[in-house]
Amino acid sequence: MSVKIPLKPVPVLNFISGKFKAGSGKIQQVHSPHNGSVIGDLHHSNSDDVALAVQEAAAAQKKWAALPIKERSKVFFELRHILMRDLHEIANLKSSESGKTYQEGKAGLLKGIEVLEFATAIQNLDVGGRTEVSRGVSCEYRREPLGVVASITPFNFPAMVPFWTIPNALMLGNSLIWKPSEKTPLTSMRIAEAMLEAGLPEGVLQIVQGGQEASEALIDHPDVAAISFVGSTPVARKVYERGTALGKRVLALGGAKNHIVLLPDANPDLAGVGISDSFTGCAGQRCMAAAVLLAVGDVDLHIQKIIARAKSLELGKDMGAIISSQQIKFLNQQIHQAVQEGAKIILDGRNAKPPFDCINGNWVGPTILDGVSPDQEIAKLELFGPVLCIIRCNDISEAMKIENSSRMGNACSVFTSSGALAEKVISLASTGMVGVNVGVPVPREPYSFGGVGDSKFGHGDITGISSLDFWSNLKKVTVKWDQQQDSNWMS
Ligand code: NAD
């Protein structure tokens, strides 16, 4: 199914206390990566817009937090129903602005819905605990919201990444200000409508549109208690440093450079499909995409299968577009430089034919470079495009030494038929997520998502149980009603 691009631009507005309202800053055009057409006019927000969103969110949060968790959860059961009902329309919208294929847009939304399902289960998971710690004295945990919190999200998953944070934060009684990426902001308005329809009280979810200025105003606002960020490493580091310098709780996920270790005993068909789909899926614009193939020993048959699979992909149908023309220039320059330095191009996507009617879009086909050396820039820098670099290695130790030298720590996978060798790679990998015969080792709920190193600043993971600790405080309550005869040091 092909993506339908909106025919005329829509105004992209803030969502404040249940109403759409233009931000006071500059207006910027939003282009569809598929064909370059203007699909939105984004009104940026300034610090006054952010202050209004925070003020009204703070008022709404008190009433929202006073509701029993079982009542809050009803909104999210209803939201799930609405998102499933409107799956096709929302998947199409997010694909049109991010460059994804329709199937990728749908898959991202379904993954977001899976996190929403986790949030609806918090009412049953998070029972806390109460224990009689000495005669007549009990201790208990109460999980309390932080107040107003913020989520700043990247362009590449306009619904899935926001769903990593919004449902869990709201279920725990916070109100949240979401700042979507200025490159893919249209989906946020559609999600806001779905939230309203589901019965979320006004002000509990606020959206401020914009870029750096809006993000910084949110981070700096004294009434924003915690900031979740997902984006590139340089910005993640800045956001983490800025927020923590103000004494705030910050979890900032950054970029990635994911390695795949390919061993000669791997199933060639499994490896061919898994590795090709990993570096070409979402046109390489996902933080879990394979970037470097550590080819150990004779794996030429496997590499031929990867090439064959990648060659068979039709742009527009099986593989989406790249977010911007600047990003295409960057990819071309990196490929050119790598070839100049001695890498051999064995699949060249630079002149790939764009789909019919998309000549003004941003397209590049799958590209594979062989004989890349570990110290070349292309082997270390995050590219965020459908480019796979092959580094030839003599053994697993050499491969893992290269993997371990990366400052990024998102994901690593191994393709092998041996449990013992898989275990060796799992234990030596320097990343937060590891896969065995899986090209995109995204943990599914309830397993949490998060890397280490320069792929994540802050403690804990963004989803799963540790997200509950991020979005709440544990109050420890110790209670006694009567003086006890046999008192101890505590009584
Ligand atoms: P980006 O860092 O350019 O932007 C991310 C967000 O930060 C946007 O909302 C943007 O408006 C805002 N922003 C930009 N400059 C800022 C500044 N100086 N201060 C505060 N906020 C600022 O990232 P992107 O290009 O939108 O997304 C792609 C990147 O995100 C890739 O590096 C990718 O690996 C990463 N990513 C990581 C994960 C993960 O789980 N680790 C998931 C998805 C994407």
Side-chain angles (χ1 to χ4, degrees), residues 242-259:
R242 192 174 183 118
T244 52
L246 293 166
K248 299 193 179 193
R249 192 176 292 189
V250 183
L251 183 62
L253 271 59
K257 189 79 179 175
N258 304 314
H259 294 77

Side-chain angles (χ1 to χ4, degrees), residues 148-466:
V148 181
V149 296
S151 179
I152 301 169
T153 55
F155 82 83
N156 62 328
F157 284 99
M160 183 191 80
V161 169
F163 272 91
W164 285 352
T165 55
I166 298 171
N168 290 355
L170 299 191
M171 267 300 289
L172 291 165
N174 300 288
S175 56
L176 182 141
I177 321 274
W178 172 19
K179 199 215 69 67
S181 164
E182 66 276 38
K183 295 174 200 158
T184 53
L186 273 66
T187 303
S188 67
M189 294 205 299
R190 192 60 194 79
I191 289 174
E193 283 168 357
M195 292 269 186
L196 261 190
E197 188 186 343
L200 187 74
E202 292 174 2
V204 173
L205 174 70
Q206 312 271 59
I207 299 175
V208 291
Q209 306 287 358
Q212 181 174 348
E213 184 182 356
S215 290
E216 291 182 349
L218 261 180
I219 300 164
D220 294 349
H221 196 292
D223 294 338
V224 173
I227 297 113
S228 164
F229 172 90
V230 181
S232 59
T233 289
V235 181
R237 184 182 274 114
K238 275 190 208 154
V239 167
Y240 183 77
E241 287 172 357
R242 192 174 183 118
T244 52
L246 293 166
K248 299 193 179 193
R249 192 176 292 189
V250 183
L251 183 62
L253 271 59
K257 189 79 179 175
N258 304 314
H259 294 77
I260 294 202
V261 182
L262 175 58
L263 302 183
D265 69 348
N267 175 325
D269 294 317
L270 198 60
V273 173
I275 297 170
S276 175
D277 290 2
S278 177
F279 90 94
T280 59
C282 299
Q285 298 163 109
R286 57 183 168 192
C287 64
M288 297 296 278
V292 177
L293 181 67
L294 298 167
V296 179
D298 182 4
V299 287
D300 284 349
L301 171 64
H302 305 76
I303 291 173
Q304 287 313 316
K305 298 252 174 192
I306 297 169
I307 296 173
R309 171 82 174 182
K311 260 187 177 167
S312 74
L313 302 178
E314 191 183 320
L315 292 193
K317 180 168 160 274
D318 309 310
M319 205 179 110
I322 300 289
I323 190 67
S324 65
S325 53
Q326 294 96 299
Q327 177 63 4
I328 298 266
K329 273 192 206 124
F330 167 72
L331 293 174
N332 285 341
Q333 177 261 319
Q334 282 294 325
I335 296 165
H336 176 74
Q337 182 181 318
V339 172
Q340 295 289 102
E341 289 166 353
K344 189 169 156 228
I345 192 150
I346 56 173
L347 184 62
D348 192 347
R350 286 174 293 179
N351 293 316
K353 201 163 146 245
F356 175 67
D357 271 2
C358 288
I359 42 167
N360 293 324
N362 312 316
W363 298 91
V364 62
T367 299
I368 305 180
L369 295 158
D370 200 354
V372 174
S373 132
D375 28 75
Q376 277 185 268
E377 187 176 52
I378 200 162
K380 294 188 269 191
L381 195 68
E382 181 180 40
L383 298 186
F384 230 48
V387 181
L388 185 69
C389 295
I390 302 177
I391 300 180
R392 300 284 178 162
C393 307
N394 290 317
D395 52 31
I396 296 186
S397 302
E398 187 187 347
M400 295 318 289
K401 207 168 147 202
I402 296 167
E403 190 281 332
N404 285 186
S405 69
S406 173
R407 295 182 61 88
M408 305 288 196
N410 227 33
C412 170
S413 280
V414 56
F415 280 77
T416 178
S417 300
S418 156
L421 295 179
E423 193 50 50
K424 185 168 181 179
V425 172
I426 294 170
S427 58
L428 290 176
S430 66
T431 54
M433 293 170 280
V434 187
V436 177
N437 297 320
V438 176
V440 184
V442 173
R444 290 192 65 174
E445 309 308 308
Y447 297 94
S448 58
F449 185 100
V452 293
D454 281 1
S455 295
K456 189 183 72 186
F457 302 91
H459 176 74
D461 282 338
I462 197 161
T463 60
I465 298 293
S466 70

Side-chain angles (χ1 to χ4, degrees), residues 6-12 28-31 37-42 186:
L7 291 175
K8 44 179 204 185
V10 293
V12 183
Q28 178 190 337
Q29 290 183 332
V30 181
H31 295 264
S37 65
V38 181
I39 57 172
D41 290 316
L42 173 90
L186 273 66

